[in-house]
Amino acid sequence: MVVSHIDSVKTIRNSAPYINAHRGKTFVLMFGGEAIEDANFAHIIHDIALLNSLGVRLVLVHGARPQIDERVNLRNLPFRFQDDIRITDKQTLECVKDAAGSVRAQVEALLTMGLPNSPMHGAQIRVCSGNLVVAMPIGVRDGVDFENTGMVRRIDVVGINDHLNDGSIVLLSPMGYSPTGEVFNLSHEDVATNAAMALKADKLILFSPNDGILSEDGHLLRNIEIDQLYGMLNNAFYAPQKLSLQAIAASLESGISRCHCVSYSQDGALLQELFTRDGAGSLISQRSYEQLRPANIEDVGGILKLINPLEEKGILVKRSRERLESEIELFTLIARDGMTIACAALYPYPEDAMGELACVATHSDYRGGNRGERILHAIKSQALQQGLTSIFVLTTVTGHWFLEQGFMPASLEDLPAKKKKLYNYQRNSKVFVLKL
């Protein structure tokens, strides 16, 4: 019980930076009709209510495909599709209205629930919807008339922002309306994408039956860059997800820096994705979530925080802030969402064509992910660019790791003359050398 209490306190403390970062930001959440039918959807609603209470501006875009299919089937109407787009005649449009209206009412009811002893107690959430999406017909394509199937023409940004500024959650359905009074069946991906772009949202979040976007061998892809995403769009394996992936690509291209894909069946996936450093699903961004880069003066505090525990254990030689500031250009690091999680430094001895690999550290939560190998590779590249022919390291604890990376045991006599004079016999560090 004590451990559980400590873990809870740690979780709350670690989430504080994200709470502050997300407050006042606009998130567009997109979920299909399949998510609404999942047993976990009530928990998603609870998490949405929590986001609202934390000051996040929320626009929810729901789909209704399975609900529409059910009503089409009950009325014995034909299923008509062209290029995976539903052809919506007058009878099918009635099914769309019925299904979308029913789903919207269900979501609104869940967001209104406030029973005592429930996560929604005292929430008093206002949900606003209406004619906030202006649509136009797809028209005739390749000789096929899509009738009442439409596409987004314009998002009522002013109207939506008025509701968001009042603290309301905006709920958009997969239907749009024309100035001539017509109703059109829209894809919820189209609505969500255009809403995110028009509102200049900070995030677009998609809900998926999987943990996120999976690789072809079934592994969760936690971090995806936009170039990798483009490759997926041309891969037949991802054809069933094409509309969602296109929505993500269009959002990133419009300037939205991050999109997320999380599971709608995993309890708490949304909160874990937004309030923990590692998340729960897939993060798709314009650039890498983890950056390997040269350190700068602003990184001094993060490096000190990383290496201090290792210095206290005697694994690393103590470095003062002043020394680190003067040597910061020698450091390379990996930053994850603004936090330094690994670092190393290269001290050159050009007169001996050697370099010292020093201050190698990886955060305890991020070991085992080949980050040390990535930094070592970067250090080796730097050494070669400087004309060095070998790298040496002095270590008291991690000798086996360096042996695995190709270093060979060496002696004091193999060190540069200047380094030999500075050798600390009390630490009795072992010497390893890597030929480049």
Side-chain angles (χ1 to χ4, degrees):
M1 185 65 69
V2 174
V3 174
S4 176
H5 170 70
I6 293 173
D7 288 345
S8 298
V9 171
K10 183 179 179 181
T11 299
I12 294 172
R13 286 174 176 164
N14 289 342
S15 67
Y18 296 96
I19 293 173
N20 294 328
H22 297 333
R23 185 180 295 113
K25 299 298 176 61
T26 301
F27 295 174
V28 175
L29 276 58
M30 181 182 96
F31 46 88
E34 299 83 0
I36 297 164
E37 293 183 342
D38 192 86
N40 187 57
F41 188 67
H43 294 145
I44 294 176
I45 290 294
H46 297 160
D47 295 343
I48 288 172
L50 177 58
L51 291 179
N52 178 254
S53 69
L54 293 174
V56 180
R57 295 154 55 92
L58 296 171
V59 177
L60 312 183
V61 182
H62 74 81
R65 288 187 186 120
Q67 292 83 1
I68 294 171
D69 288 344
E70 180 183 7
R71 285 159 174 79
V72 169
N73 189 53
L74 286 173
R75 299 187 187 190
N76 294 317
L77 299 175
F79 286 80
R80 299 171 60 208
F81 289 86
Q82 178 72 22
D83 298 329
D84 293 327
I85 301 174
R86 190 190 302 273
I87 299 171
T88 311
D89 57 22
K90 297 298 182 183
Q91 290 178 302
T92 304
L93 182 61
E94 294 305 312
C95 297
V96 172
K97 292 178 182 178
D98 185 12
S102 176
V103 169
R104 185 179 68 186
Q106 180 183 353
V107 175
E108 289 177 346
L110 288 171
L111 285 168
T112 306
M113 183 174 61
L115 295 174
N117 301 320
S118 77
M120 299 289 290
H121 181 57
Q124 296 182 337
I125 295 172
R126 292 193 302 272
V127 185
C128 297
S129 55
N131 58 340
L132 298 169
V133 179
V134 178
M136 61 183 180
I138 286 181
V140 178
R141 292 184 180 178
D142 298 325
V144 177
D145 186 356
F146 284 85
E147 302 187 44
N148 287 92
T149 300
M151 53 195 297
V152 175
R153 178 179 179 182
R154 179 174 56 83
I155 299 292
D156 185 356
V157 174
V158 174
I160 291 175
N161 276 324
D162 284 345
H163 293 311
L164 295 176
N165 292 338
D166 287 338
S168 301
I169 292 177
V170 173
L171 178 61
L172 302 180
S173 296
M175 292 194 303
Y177 309 92
S178 73
T180 58
E182 296 176 279
V183 181
F184 292 100
N185 175 28
L186 310 176
S187 75
H188 70 283
E189 293 92 348
D190 186 29
V191 176
T193 305
N194 279 276
M197 292 191 298
L199 293 166
K200 295 180 172 57
D202 298 281
K203 291 182 184 292
L204 172 66
I205 303 173
L206 291 71
F207 288 87
S208 164
N210 304 312
D211 289 342
I213 299 174
L214 306 182
S215 65
E216 293 186 63
D217 58 2
H219 290 94
L220 173 64
L221 298 172
R222 290 193 173 275
N223 300 293
I224 302 171
E225 294 184 61
I226 192 166
D227 290 340
Q228 185 181 358
L229 180 66
Y230 289 146
M232 293 177 176
L233 287 171
N234 297 317
N235 187 335
F237 175 79
Y238 294 100
Q241 301 168 259
K242 189 171 184 179
L243 289 177
S244 296
L245 297 180
Q246 286 175 335
I248 294 170
S251 299
L252 293 174
E253 289 166 355
S254 74
I256 296 172
S257 60
R258 291 182 175 183
C259 297
H260 303 260
C261 183
V262 298
S263 169
Y264 61 64
S265 59
Q266 178 186 337
D267 188 14
L270 175 62
L271 297 184
Q272 189 177 343
E273 180 71 10
L274 292 175
F275 296 102
T276 66
R277 185 165 281 108
D278 293 330
S282 298
L283 169 64
I284 310 95
S285 59
Q286 295 175 349
R287 57 185 177 86
S288 178
Y289 187 42
E290 282 191 7
Q291 289 183 290
L292 189 152
R293 58 174 175 80
N296 58 58
I297 196 68
E298 296 179 353
D299 297 312
V300 169
I303 294 175
L304 283 172
K305 188 175 181 180
L306 174 64
I307 65 177
N308 278 343
L310 299 175
E311 291 176 344
E312 291 172 1
K313 294 177 181 178
I315 297 173
L316 294 179
V317 177
K318 285 187 176 294
R319 283 173 171 77
S320 66
R321 175 178 285 272
E322 291 75 16
R323 179 185 173 187
L324 188 56
E325 288 177 352
S326 66
E327 299 176 345
I328 194 64
E329 73 278 359
L330 303 177
F331 278 76
T332 298
L333 59 80
I334 295 178
R336 182 180 178 88
D337 202 22
M339 173 184 174
T340 300
I341 62 171
C343 72
L346 175 65
Y347 292 82
Y349 292 83
E351 62 276 8
D352 297 280
M354 297 184 75
E356 180 184 7
L357 175 63
C359 202
V360 181
T362 303
H363 193 285
S364 58
D365 291 343
Y366 297 96
R367 290 172 189 157
N370 296 321
R371 294 177 178 87
E373 288 84 346
R374 288 178 61 196
I375 283 194
L376 176 59
H377 180 76
I379 294 291
K380 287 163 63 177
S381 297
Q382 293 173 27
L384 288 169
Q385 289 173 5
Q386 295 177 35
L388 307 181
T389 58
S390 62
I391 298 173
F392 69 89
V393 64
L394 303 179
T395 180
T396 57
V397 178
T398 55
H400 278 86
W401 185 83
F402 289 105
L403 288 172
E404 292 170 2
Q405 308 310 314
F407 284 75
M408 298 299 294
S411 66
L412 288 179
E413 295 305 314
D414 297 310
L415 297 179
K418 289 183 179 179
K419 187 62 182 180
K420 278 190 281 189
K421 293 179 181 179
L422 299 174
Y423 182 79
N424 186 337
Y425 285 90
Q426 186 174 356
R427 280 182 61 83
N428 194 28
S429 300
K430 294 183 178 180
V431 181
F432 297 89
V433 175
L434 175 67
K435 299 292 184 181
L436 300 176

